[in-house]
Each structure stands twice: as C-alpha cells, then as structure tokens.
C-alpha cells in the first residue's frame, strides 16, 4: 500500500557542493498513486548515472520511474541555501519550481531559489 511509497525519501542529495540532479516521477503500473522525487549527487558524472542507479531500486519496490528532466543543485549547508539551475542534455530541463517545492518540504529552514541559468 502507501507504506512502500512513503518509505522512499522525497529527496536524496549530497549535503554540500554543486552537483547534477534529476526529477523523477514514481508511479504504480496501471496508474494509481504517483509522486515526484529529487535525486542528486557529485558521484554522478552524467544525469543518466543517477537514473540508472535509482531505476532498479524502484522497480524492486514495484514502481515505474520516469525522468522528468534534470539540472544542477548548489547546496550550501553552512549558509542554509540551495540553488537549483541548469539542465540535463539527455533528459532536458526539469521544472525547477517543482524541484524547489519538494526541497522546501525537506529543508524547511533553508533559502531555496531556482533559475534557468546554465552556471
């Protein structure tokens, strides 16, 4: 039921630095529940590396994954600021405003902004 989806964190991003991120839609095959999650890490050289790691994990839980786009995240934990920007060449630009909404739920005391800037 809902518990498996609730067990999947909305956000998993590196605690510091600038790195690639993707916005991913999880859904149950045949419709029903769906939600969007944010994943980003410096370990990923390309956006598809993040997706290729996430996808099998989510399939095991019974979800279909669709990448809605990507970009970059600049995470400054000292100043409690997150900036979302850029795009993914492979997946296109995520809707950064959606990403920011998801981030704000997790990082409630942060200043979180986004732009379409490349850098």
């Amino acid at each position: 039921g809902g518990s498996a989806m609730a067990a999947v964190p909305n956000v998993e991003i590196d605690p510091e630095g600038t790195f690639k991120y993707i916005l991913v839609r999880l859904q149950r095959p045949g419709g029903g529940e769906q939600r969007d999650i944010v994943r980003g890490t410096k370990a990923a050289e390309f956006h598809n590396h993040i997706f290729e790691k996430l996808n099998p994990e989510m399939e095991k839980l019974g979800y279909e994954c669709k990448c809605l786009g990507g970009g970059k995240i600049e995470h400054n934990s000292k100043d409690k600021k997150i900036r979302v920007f850029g795009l993914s060449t492979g997946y296109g630009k995520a809707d950064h405003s959606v990403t920011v909404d998801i981030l704000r739920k997790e990082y409630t005391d942060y200043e979180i902004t986004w732009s379409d800037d490349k850098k």
Side-chain angles (χ1 to χ4, degrees), residues 97-113:
S97 64
V98 172
T99 303
V100 166
D101 285 344
I102 297 168
L103 289 170
R104 280 187 179 137
K105 286 180 193 137
E106 299 293 313
Y107 296 92
T108 48
D109 55 346
Y110 268 60
E111 181 192 320
I112 305 176
T113 57

Side-chain angles (χ1 to χ4, degrees), residues 44-100:
E45 195 185 342
F46 300 104
H47 287 90
N48 62 307
H49 292 175
I50 308 172
F51 188 76
E52 282 159 14
K53 188 175 173 295
L54 178 72
N55 199 29
E57 293 171 13
M58 294 303 117
E59 280 180 346
K60 276 193 207 112
L61 296 174
Y63 296 109
E64 291 170 346
C65 286
K66 180 176 176 232
C67 187
L68 303 176
K72 284 186 167 179
I73 285 175
E74 185 184 306
H75 189 172
N76 181 338
S77 53
K78 189 169 64 71
D79 295 340
K80 296 198 168 179
K81 285 185 178 177
I82 293 177
R83 186 169 73 99
V84 184
F85 64 102
L87 52 84
S88 160
T89 25
Y91 296 121
K93 186 175 80 69
D95 185 339
H96 296 327
S97 64
V98 172
T99 303
V100 166

Side-chain angles (χ1 to χ4, degrees), residues 6-53:
V8 178
N10 288 323
V11 177
E12 280 182 358
I13 60 172
D14 285 2
E16 190 65 43
T18 302
F19 44 85
K20 292 182 167 64
Y21 94 88
I22 55 173
L23 182 62
V24 176
R25 175 156 294 162
L26 301 183
Q27 58 187 38
R28 289 287 183 207
E33 52 176 339
Q34 64 169 47
R35 61 184 260 231
D36 298 343
I37 62 171
V38 174
R39 293 291 182 272
T41 176
K42 277 188 280 223
E45 195 185 342
F46 300 104
H47 287 90
N48 62 307
H49 292 175
I50 308 172
F51 188 76
E52 282 159 14
K53 188 175 173 295

